[in-house]
Structures are given as structure tokens and as C-alpha cells.
């Protein structure tokens, strides 16, 4: 009965209808949104985990590839004898600056597995034998670079991975290896990857296909066995890649993405708990339910109240009109109800609004001015015609240190320091009298007597057409700016002092080339000591890059130069090898400047030339070494197809040289090698290439010589070698030579084939009793 009576009211029916519509609409939207959102969120979560795993695997591959490539390049540069490697091990390791940044430890190991040198030396691994290590066995057996399985190192039993590459001597014999250790619990790139998080609780893991954990983002413990109970990890150890939903060791549902690595037999696993991945759906559903309940609680009373209001508009309208007429109501009357009721209310409101319009306009203007001054970041003060403060905003209160109630009706001039007060009063009077703006800088008098504040002050008069009403003063605290200006002046003085004592020349020119600043070193380079300023830099000197002269326009329009090796010629005729640096300042503006830094580079260039010569020549005989000889042989073979007469390769292997060293001493042997080198150089043409390939082995390249001429030349060289004797301690020492000849054929795939044929000729000469020339023909074309 009560329910029927309640629904008998139209107001109650309307409220019930509103609530039912809201509930049904909300349920429909919730169900549809949940279904669509979960499918989309699941797709995005799978894609996100897969992307993270792929990115991490790719980045780890790049990191390991960089270290393996760098280590391989270093090993190629260590080609030497085993004795030299043992003697220079510590020095060689110390020089590997690039490896020191890439690895936690660097080790140089000989062919028997003994550690010759290490970095850092605090690891104390020098002298240990690591021949039983997996990485040493792999490198020594395969003679190729390797990245080891994780192992427990000798240093404090720390888990590590070794990146190692073999080292060969000049005869391509294995003499040892160089390795870089990466600690799995160290502060390196592995730690950076493992510390990555997917969401709040997701993590990354790296493991080998053999089932050993390299790094684990959740437990943080390397070298632990992989949990093969997980089918995804078990498949990953067999090469699987992909993204699946599975469960972790705690039975929690997770999304796992596996990516295999290309540099090593490892894989990367990215794990994200499903509860966190799909948490937005749960949070959205919970929030939606609470919002729905809140909407129903709010809407039902509001709808009930609103519908009841619609049913009794006349009584409300009459009461509002009476209250407004008597001054008991300031708001306009409501315009709800039928058309007639709204017309009456609108007419009444129009009459009342016209009356209040002027007052509202004045109130708005005052509120606008107050709001501007209250939020302004600079001090604003309004005074009357006598200079008494009527209004001060918070920024001015902060500058002076007094609240507004202490400032009101006090004289503004009293807030100026005594020493500047007269000048401030004079400026204030000038602004009122001439109706102008006065600006000045004055010291202010804050609450703390020992505090000094400088203000940038601007005073403007407030006037009507009939009279002056007062002034508006704007005050900006510039104390910090003045301190900064003073500090900048000190820094500029200090910079000029430092530039004056530098060995590098530093000068600044404008876009026309006029020198605006130059230190003493720059003036010395220009050949105009003490007379550099205001002279034209580009007219004083000539700058050449190789054989090309650099112009002013190239410097203006080009990019900044970090380090460019050029030649500078000054008016005094002096030439300098310069390392040039160029910087553009305020580029594109009217006050653009170019800053040149000139460094004398002559010593470095001479050092580079010396190192370049030493890298391609044998220090004993001054002939080319094996590396330079191989490069020359490759160039000659590249031209073989364009020559009418074939080029010839000659290898010379000395006979009985060891007895000279053993019986006459190494000094005598070195003297004999130098004389033989001179003999070889004098016997051939200037266009021919002569090199010492190592020990008592020499090589000669005879471009476009022809086999007949080359054989005659070889016989001449063999006879001259046989005739060369050295007297020492009453004994005569000498050697003979086995010479192998072969033509360079266009079908040769590389220098190894030609060298093999010529070497075969040397062996045949030795087998025939030594001291002979043997020609090995090249294979027929095709």
C-alpha cells in the first residue's frame, strides 16, 4: 500500500524512472567496456612485454658485440713473438684504455694458460694457471674469439663471464689470448639491464641455454639453475622465442616473453605479473561501481527536489519578488516554470539589473586592479597627493619586510635609505608636476638595519582632467642582479687572466675578420706580438687544409670545428702546423663572433710520422715489414689483370744463418742481415718492393718484370749472397740463399696462394741441396 501510494505521485515516478535509466545504462556500458578493454589491454600487455624483451636482447647483443669486436681488434694489434708477449705483457695491458672502460678485468694469458698480466692488478691473478677454464680450452682449440659460459672466478669467488680472443705471432701460431671479464654482480651494463622494471613488479632475466642464470631481476642471484619446471623456460633452453601466459615459481599468473640472443647461446626473459598488467580493468570496474552508487545517491534527492520545484513555481516566484522589492534579496528571481511565469520574472529582473549596472561596473574595476596588484611579482604602491601609502601589494611587503597594516598612511619616502631620500622625493615631485614617469635606482630601508636592498623604482602620477589624485610606484628588487653583475665582472677578469697565460692561442673576431680579443700566444702565432687587436685576422694569415686554402666565407657558413689539423702562414713568413678549433657565438645575429683556438701541433705530427714509419718497417734492416709487404702484394695483385707483362713474387730464405748467430754472436748476425738488406735493395729497381718478413726470410715484389728477367735477377742475387763474407775474430762467416719465384696470376684469389707457391719454391731449393733458385709456375687460367 505504501509503495503504491508512493508511486501514485508523478514526482516519485519520474525519480524512479531516472534511477532505472541510470542503472541500466551504467550496466550496459560497464559490461561492453570491460569486454573490449580486457581484450585490448591483454594485446597491449603482450606487445609491451615482447617489445621490452626484444629491446633488451638487442641491446645486450650490441654490448657484447662491441666488446668482442674491440677485443679482437686489440688482439690483432698484439701480433709478435711469444717471448715479446711475455716480456711486454704488463705494459700492453696497461695501454688498453678502451678495454678498461668496457670490462671489469683484463687478462693477458700465454699459450700454456698462465696469466701474464692483468688490470686491475688488485685482483692478484697474475701467475695463476687457467688452462682448465672452459674459455681457455675453447680459444686454444678453435683459435677463434669466444664468450664463455658463466663461471665462478678466482677473485673472491665472484660470478663472471669471460670474453676472449686468441693472439698469434707473425707466423700465425697461437701464442696466447687476451680476455675481458664481466662480473655478473658488478656495477656494469648487466646491472643496468637487470635493474629495469616492467611496471611496478615486472622484471627481466638472462640465462644460458645450458640452464644457468646469468642475471635475475627479482632474486638478483646469478649462477642459479634455471627453473625447468616452467614449460616456457624449458622451451627457451631449446631455442623457443615468443610471448605466452604462464606461472612463476610462486604459482602466480604472469606474462613471459622470451628472446634468443645472437652473440651467445643465451636468452632474455621479460616477466610481468598478470594481476599488475590487468590491474587497470579491476580499478576501473571498482571505481565505476562507486561512482554509480554516488551518482544514484546524489541524483535521486536532486531529481526529487527538482520535480517538486517544478510543481510549485508560482508561490516561489511571488515570495522572491516581494523579498527583492523590500531589499531582503539581492539575487535575481528564478525564471523556472511556464512561459508566462518566465516572462514576468524576466521583466522584473531587467528593471532591477539596470539599477545595479553602474555599481557593478565600479566594483569590477576596483576588483580588477586589486587582483592585478595582489598577484604581481614586483612591488606596487599607491599613495595620495601627499605621498602617504594607501595600498601596498604583497610583493612590496616582502621587499620592505613590513606587513600592509604597518605601511598604510605612512610616507613612502620614509621607506627609502637616508642617503637616497632627497633624490627620491625630488623624482616623486617631478612625476606629479610634469605628469611624466620617473625612473631611478635607490637603496631601500628594510626592517633589518644591517640588510641592504637596491630597488629599481618607477613613479607615475594618477590624475583626472581636473586634478592629481596621487601616484603609483613600482619597485623591483635588483640586489641579486647587482651581485650577479659584480660576480660576472670578476669572472671576466679571471678568464682574461687565464687566457693570457695559456700556451694555446685564443682569439675572437667579428664577421668581417676584425680581431676583438687575442691573448699573447695568439699574437705570437700571427707574427704581430702586442699589435693584434683591430687588425683583420683573415688578411694577416693564410690557413691551408692540405693543399686547399680556407676562406673567410667557409669559416662563417661552416659548422663548428672540434679539432682540425691545418697549416698557418703568418706575415713574418713563419709556418705552423696547427690543431684548429672554431666556435660560433650568437650565430646569425648582428653581433656574431668567431672564436679560434690555435694549438701548435708540430711535435704530435712528427711523432705520428715516426710511428707510421715504425709500423711499416723493420727496425734492424730498415726494409718494409710483413704487414706493409702484404699490403703492397695485394695492390700489385689488383693490377695484375691490366698489365701486359706479369709481375713476379720472390721469396728468399737464408741457409745456415743460425750458426752465424750461435758462433759469431747476435751482433754479427744483425750486421750480416743489414748488409744483405743493402744488397737486395741495390740489386732491384726503385719500383720494386723489398721486405724482411721475419728472422732470415725476405720477400721481393717485381711489378711487370716477367719471369725470365726475374729468374736472371734471382740468380744474380743468389750469387752475390754466396760471395758476401764477414770476417770476425779470424774467422769468415757467410750464408747462401734458397729463392722461390712465381708469377702473380689474375686468377689468384689472394696473396696466400702466391706466397704458398713461392714458399714451395724455397722448400724445393732446400731439398735439392740449398743455394738454388726454383721457379714454381702459376696455375693455368680458369
Amino acid at each position: 500500500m505504501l509503495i503504491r501510494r508512493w508511486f501514485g505521485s508523478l514526482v516519485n515516478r519520474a525519480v524512479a524512472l531516472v534511477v532505472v535509466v541510470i542503472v541500466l545504462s551504467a550496466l550496459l556500458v560497464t559490461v561492453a567496456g570491460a569486454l573490449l578493454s580486457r581484450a585490448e589491454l591483454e594485446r597491449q600487455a603482450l606487445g609491451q612485454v615482447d617489445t621490452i624483451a626484444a629491446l633488451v636482447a638487442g641491446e645486450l647483443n650490441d654490448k657484447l658485440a662491441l666488446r668482442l669486436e674491440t677485443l679482437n681488434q686489440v688482439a690483432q694489434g698484439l701480433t709478435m713473438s711469444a717471448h715479446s708477449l711475455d716480456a711486454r705483457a704488463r705494459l700492453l695491458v696497461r695501454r688498453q684504455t678502451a678495454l678498461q672502460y668496457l670490462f671489469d678485468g683484463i687478462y693477458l694469458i700465454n699459450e700454456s694458460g698462465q696469466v701474464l698480466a692483468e688490470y686491475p692488478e688488485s685482483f692478484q691473478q697474475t701467475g695463476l694457471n687457467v688452462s682448465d677454464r672452459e674459455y681457455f680450452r675453447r680459444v686454444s682449440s678453435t683459435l677463434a674469439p669466444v664468450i664463455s659460459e658463466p663461471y665462478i672466478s678466482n677473485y673472491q669467488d665472484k660470478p663472471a663471464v669471460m670474453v676472449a680472443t686468441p693472439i698469434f705471432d707473425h707466423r700465425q701460431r697461437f701464442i696466447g689470448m687476451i680476455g675481458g671479464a664481466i662480473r655478473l654482480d658488478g656495477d656494469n651494463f648487466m646491472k643496468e639491464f637487470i635493474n629495469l622494471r616492467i611496471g611496478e613488479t615486472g622484471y627481466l632475466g638472462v640465462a644460458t641455454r645450458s640452464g644457468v642464470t646469468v642475471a635475475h631481476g627479482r632474486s638478483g642471484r646469478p649462477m642459479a639453475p634455471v627453473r625447468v619446471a616452467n614449460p616456457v623456460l624449458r622451451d627457451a633452453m631449446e631455442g623457443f622465442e615468443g610471448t605466452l601466459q604462464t606461472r612463476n615459481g610462486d604459482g602466480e599468473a604472469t606474462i613471459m616473453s622470451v628472446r634468443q640472443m645472437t652473440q651467445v647461446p643465451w636468452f632474455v626473459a621479460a616477466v610481468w605479473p598478470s594481476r599488475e598488467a590487468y590491474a587497470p580493468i579491476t580499478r576501473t570496474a571498482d571505481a565505476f561501481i562507486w561512482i554509480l552508487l554516488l551518482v544514484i545517491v546524489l541524483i535521486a534527492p536532486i531529481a526529487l527536489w527538482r520535480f517538486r520545484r517544478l510543481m510549485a513555481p508560482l508561490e516561489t516566484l511571488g515570495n522572491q519578488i516581494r523579498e527583492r522589492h523590500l531589499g531582503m534579496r539581492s539575487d535575481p528571481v528564478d525564471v523556472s516554470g511556464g512561459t508566462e511565469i518566465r516572462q514576468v520574472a524576466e521583466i522584473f529582473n531587467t528593471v532591477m539589473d539596470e539599477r545595479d549596472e553602474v555599481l557593478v561596473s565600479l566594483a569590477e574595476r576596483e576588483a580588477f586592479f586589486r587582483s592585478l596588484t595582489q598577484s604581481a611579482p614586483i612591488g606596487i604602491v599607491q599613495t595620495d597627493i601627499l605621498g602617504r601609502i594607501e595600498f601596498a601589494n604583497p610583493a612590496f611587503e616582502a621587499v620592505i619586510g613590513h606587513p600592509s597594516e604597518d605601511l598604510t598612511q605612512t610616507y613612502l619616502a620614509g621607506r627609502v635609505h637616508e642617503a637616497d631620500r632627497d633624490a627620491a622625493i625630488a623624482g616623486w615631485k617631478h612625476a606629479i608636476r610634469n605628469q611624466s614617469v620617473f625612473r631611478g635606482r635607490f637603496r631601500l630601508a628594510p626592517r633589518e638595519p644591517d640588510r641592504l636592498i637596491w630597488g629599481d623604482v618607477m613613479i607615475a602620477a594618477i590624475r583626472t582632467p581636473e586634478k592629481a589624485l596621487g601616484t603609483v610606484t613600482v619597485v623591483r628588487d635588483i640586489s641579486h642582479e647587482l651581485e650577479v653583475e659584480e660576480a660576472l665582472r670578476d669572472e671576466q677578469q679571471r678568464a682574461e687572466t687565464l687566457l693570457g697565460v695559456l700556451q694555446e692561442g685564443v682569439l675572437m673576431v667579428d664577421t668581417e675578420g676584425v680581431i676583438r680579443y687575442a691573448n699573447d700566444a695568439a699574437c705570437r702565432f700571427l707574427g704581430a706580438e702586442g699589435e693584434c687587436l683591430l687588425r683583420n685576422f683573415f688578411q694577416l694569415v693564410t690557413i691551408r687544409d692540405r693543399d686547399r686554402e680556407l676562406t673567410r666565407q667557409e669559416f662563417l657558413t661552416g659548422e663548428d670545428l672540434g679539432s682540425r689539423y691545418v697549416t698557418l702562414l703568418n706575415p713574418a713568413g713563419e709556418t705552423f702546423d696547427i690543431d684548429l678549433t672554431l666556435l660560433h657565438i650568437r650565430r646569425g645575429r648582428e653581433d656574431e663572433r668567431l672564436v679560434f683556438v690555435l694549438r701548435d701541433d708540430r711535435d704530435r705530427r712528427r711523432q705520428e710520422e715516426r710511428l707510421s714509419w715504425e709500423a711499416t718497417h723493420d727496425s734492424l734492416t730498415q726494409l718494409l715489414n710483413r704487414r706493409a709487404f702484404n699490403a703492397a702484394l695485394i695492390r700489385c695483385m689488383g693490377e695484375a689483370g691490366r698489365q701486359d707483362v706479369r709481375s713476379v713474387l720472390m721469396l728468399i730464405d737464408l741457409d745456415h744463418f743460425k750458426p752465424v748467430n750461435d758462433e759469431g754472436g747476435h751482433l754479427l748476425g744483425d750486421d750480416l742481415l743489414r748488409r744483405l738488406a743493402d744488397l737486395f735493395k741495390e740489386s732491384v729497381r726503385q719500383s720494386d718492393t723489398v721486405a724482411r718478413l721475419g728472422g732470415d726470410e725476405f720477400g721481393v715484389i717485381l711489378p711487370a718484370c716477367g719471369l725470365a728477367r726475374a729468374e736472371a735477377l734471382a740468380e744474380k742475387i743468389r750469387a752475390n749472397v754466396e760471395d758476401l763474407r764477414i770476417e770476425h775474430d779470424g774467422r769468415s762467416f757467410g750464408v747462401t740463399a734458397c729463392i722461390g719465384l712465381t708469377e702473380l696470376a689474375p686468377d689468384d684469389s689472394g696473396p696466400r696462394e702466391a706466397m704458398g707457391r713461392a714458399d714451395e719454391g724455397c722448400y724445393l731449393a732446400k731439398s735439392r741441396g740449398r743455394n738454388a733458385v726454383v721457379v714454381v709456375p702459376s696455375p693455368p687460367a680458369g
Side-chain angles (χ1 to χ4, degrees), residues 180-479:
I182 303 172
R183 286 176 51 188
L184 300 183
D185 60 351
D187 191 10
N188 49 39
F189 70 95
M190 292 294 294
K191 181 178 181 181
E192 295 175 3
F193 286 119
I194 298 308
N195 285 339
L196 291 175
R197 285 291 176 268
I198 307 173
E200 296 292 335
T201 59
Y203 57 92
L204 296 168
V206 182
T208 68
R209 292 186 189 174
S210 59
V212 179
T213 299
V214 179
H216 199 287
R218 186 174 66 167
S219 66
R221 294 186 297 104
M223 300 293 293
V226 175
R227 191 172 62 85
V228 295
N230 190 313
V232 178
L233 295 179
R234 187 169 58 250
D235 294 343
M237 294 168 58
E238 298 177 358
F240 166 78
E241 278 191 334
T243 304
L244 296 173
Q245 299 195 33
T246 181
R247 293 186 178 274
N248 60 16
D250 300 331
E252 181 182 16
T254 60
I255 300 174
M256 179 179 293
S257 180
V258 174
R259 285 287 178 169
Q260 301 289 336
M261 296 177 59
T262 58
Q263 292 294 325
V264 286
W266 300 356
F267 63 87
V268 174
V271 182
W272 194 8
S274 298
R275 58 175 173 75
E276 182 180 343
Y278 304 144
I281 295 179
T282 304
R283 290 196 298 267
T284 301
D286 294 341
F288 195 90
I289 292 173
W290 284 106
I291 292 173
L292 177 60
L293 293 176
L294 180 62
V295 169
I296 293 174
V297 171
L298 293 178
I299 291 298
I302 293 174
L304 181 61
W305 171 82
R306 184 58 181 165
F307 290 141
R308 290 189 182 279
R309 293 279 296 172
L310 291 175
M311 297 304 293
L314 293 176
E315 182 181 358
T316 303
L317 181 60
N319 293 333
Q320 290 181 357
I321 291 175
R322 183 175 60 255
E323 292 172 358
R324 184 71 184 271
H325 178 70
L326 297 175
M328 300 171 60
R329 178 185 180 89
S330 59
D331 296 333
V333 299
D334 291 338
V335 293
S336 59
T339 303
E340 296 80 7
I341 298 174
R342 289 199 301 271
Q343 288 178 353
V344 173
E346 288 173 0
I347 293 172
F348 180 81
N349 287 335
T350 301
V351 174
M352 298 302 295
D353 289 343
E354 289 177 354
R355 187 191 69 176
D356 297 335
E357 204 170 272
V358 175
L359 295 176
V360 171
S361 178
L362 292 176
E364 288 178 350
R365 292 183 182 181
E366 183 177 0
F368 178 75
F369 173 76
R370 296 290 183 180
S371 63
L372 285 179
T373 55
Q374 288 287 340
S375 60
I378 57 177
I380 300 177
V381 184
Q382 178 185 346
T383 66
D384 59 17
I385 194 61
L386 298 178
R388 293 174 298 196
I389 298 175
E390 294 182 339
F391 168 78
N393 72 338
F396 184 76
E397 297 175 14
V399 172
I400 296 298
H402 289 276
S404 179
E405 53 269 19
D406 294 345
L407 297 175
T408 305
Q409 296 305 312
T410 63
Y411 287 96
L412 179 59
R415 304 301 172 183
V416 181
H417 194 274
E418 292 181 0
D420 297 339
R421 191 169 296 164
D422 293 340
I425 293 174
W428 176 77
K429 291 180 178 180
H430 181 272
I432 294 179
R433 183 171 55 252
N434 298 324
Q435 301 183 25
S436 61
V437 176
F438 170 76
R439 296 198 62 171
R441 286 186 174 184
F442 304 113
R443 287 167 288 183
L444 304 180
R447 171 174 289 182
E448 300 85 354
D450 57 342
R451 182 183 173 199
L452 180 63
I453 297 178
W454 280 90
D456 186 6
V457 180
M458 182 175 66
I459 303 174
I462 303 175
R463 295 185 61 89
T464 64
E466 294 80 17
K467 61 178 181 178
L469 302 178
T471 61
V472 172
T473 302
V474 177
V475 180
R476 185 168 62 91
D477 187 352
I478 61 172
S479 304

Side-chain angles (χ1 to χ4, degrees), residues 144-156:
V146 301
I147 300 176
S148 76
E149 291 284 309
Y151 66 95
I152 299 299
S153 67
N154 293 323
Y155 176 67
Q156 297 181 356

Side-chain angles (χ1 to χ4, degrees), residues 534-602:
L534 301 182
R535 301 184 67 179
N536 194 292
F537 172 71
F538 300 110
Q539 294 176 1
L540 276 176
V541 299
T542 301
I543 300 177
R544 292 185 175 275
D545 182 6
R546 298 181 177 86
D547 296 329
R548 186 175 64 86
E549 181 178 345
L550 300 179
T551 64
R552 178 179 69 90
Q553 190 63 27
E554 289 182 73
F555 287 119
L556 284 175
T557 59
E559 300 295 330
D560 292 349
L561 301 179
S563 182
R564 190 166 183 174
Y565 302 124
V566 299
T567 302
L568 183 144
L569 177 64
N570 65 20
E574 297 174 311
T575 301
F576 296 94
D577 292 328
I578 296 296
D579 182 356
L580 176 65
T581 298
L582 167 65
L583 299 175
H584 290 80
I585 299 178
R586 298 185 292 274
R587 188 165 195 165
R589 291 168 48 179
E590 185 177 355
D591 56 348
E592 179 180 353
R593 294 291 185 266
L594 305 179
V595 176
F596 292 88
V597 180
L598 312 175
R599 302 180 184 88
D600 194 339
D601 201 42
R602 288 176 292 184

Side-chain angles (χ1 to χ4, degrees), residues 620-669:
L620 176 64
T621 62
Q622 311 301 306
L623 299 177
L624 294 179
N625 59 18
R626 176 179 288 273
R627 180 179 297 175
F629 182 82
N630 287 340
L633 181 58
I634 292 173
R635 289 195 301 270
C636 187
M637 295 182 73
E639 299 172 356
R642 299 189 297 271
Q643 295 175 343
D644 296 329
V645 179
R646 288 192 177 183
S647 300
V648 178
L649 171 63
M650 178 190 302
L651 290 186
I652 305 172
D653 197 351
L654 302 182
D655 303 325
H656 313 297
F657 180 73
K658 188 175 184 303
V660 176
N661 265 340
D662 295 342
E663 299 174 14
H666 288 287
L667 293 179
L668 180 66

